[in-house]
Amino acid sequence: MKRHILMVVGMAYFGLPILAAAPNFSGSWVKDNSKSDPVPNPLMLRETPQARGGGGGGRGGQGGRGGGPMPMVVSQESNSLQVTEPQGGMRKYMLDGKPHSTAMETGVQKAAVTASWQGDMLVVSSTEPYGGMPGNVTAHIKEVWSLSPDGNTLTIATTRTIPAVEKTYKEVYTKK
């Protein structure tokens, strides 16, 4: 036992990381439209729990009082992440890697949402009924969140898949 403790202390002393800390996405983020891909037409792939409240099929965007870009606000704690969209929509993810049931826009159907760390990236995956009637078809949405080394640029790469259609796009945000 003493030998094991000495090894751990020795590793910490010589600068070898024992556990890497997860990035913290907290802050106000403004979408950089010049670096972001266009968000797919919501008629092709309808909105999901992740994109709800984004207005016009996506997150971020322009508008509101004052005419300037409105920020997306992210609050992160050790086990959860809450996102408040510029238009007021809110979503919360539990960062435990387990599926959690989330009510969809209609309030009738539910999506299964899982958020987990893969290295220094946060991966949010959801599976939800698609097509109007429960059980018709399933839509799969995957968001990969990553921060630049300086922590001032947030990139969210999203892939939305329904039968016969897959759309991938990226959104880039700058810390305000």
Side-chain angles (χ1 to χ4, degrees):
M1 179 69 175
K2 287 181 183 178
R3 184 177 181 189
H4 179 70
I5 292 172
L6 288 174
M7 285 177 49
V8 170
V9 170
M11 288 175 63
Y13 180 76
F14 290 108
L16 299 172
I18 296 172
L19 292 174
N24 190 333
F25 296 107
S26 293
S28 294
W29 299 94
V30 176
K31 186 174 178 181
D32 183 340
N33 289 321
S34 68
K35 295 180 182 175
S36 299
D37 297 330
V39 176
N41 180 341
L43 296 176
M44 296 261 317
L45 258 102
R46 78 185 229 303
E47 289 305 300
T48 65
Q50 282 90 351
R52 189 174 340 150
R59 282 185 284 301
Q62 308 287 337
R65 296 175 194 239
M70 296 182 63
M72 170 178 72
V73 179
V74 178
S75 301
Q76 182 176 336
E77 296 179 10
S78 62
N79 63 346
S80 67
L81 183 112
Q82 181 173 305
V83 180
T84 303
E85 301 291 348
Q87 290 77 17
M90 192 179 336
R91 48 199 162 101
K92 186 170 184 173
Y93 304 121
M94 299 308 296
L95 305 177
D96 59 6
K98 298 177 185 174
H100 294 273
S101 184
T102 302
M104 295 178 58
E105 295 159 358
T106 62
V108 176
Q109 297 174 323
K110 295 190 180 255
V113 179
T114 304
S116 61
W117 294 104
Q118 291 184 7
D120 61 353
M121 295 181 292
L122 175 64
V123 178
V124 180
S125 300
S126 74
T127 303
E128 64 180 65
Y130 178 83
M133 298 294 289
N136 271 356
V137 205
T138 301
H140 300 279
I141 298 88
K142 179 180 176 183
E143 291 182 352
V144 178
W145 292 48
S146 60
L147 279 179
S148 62
D150 66 3
N152 291 323
T153 304
L154 166 63
T155 302
I156 303 174
T158 303
T159 301
R160 297 183 185 189
T161 307
I162 60 171
V165 179
E166 181 173 286
K167 298 286 183 182
T168 299
Y169 59 96
K170 117 184 133 174
E171 296 172 283
V172 178
Y173 295 86
T174 304
K175 198 165 211 175
K176 184 175 176 187

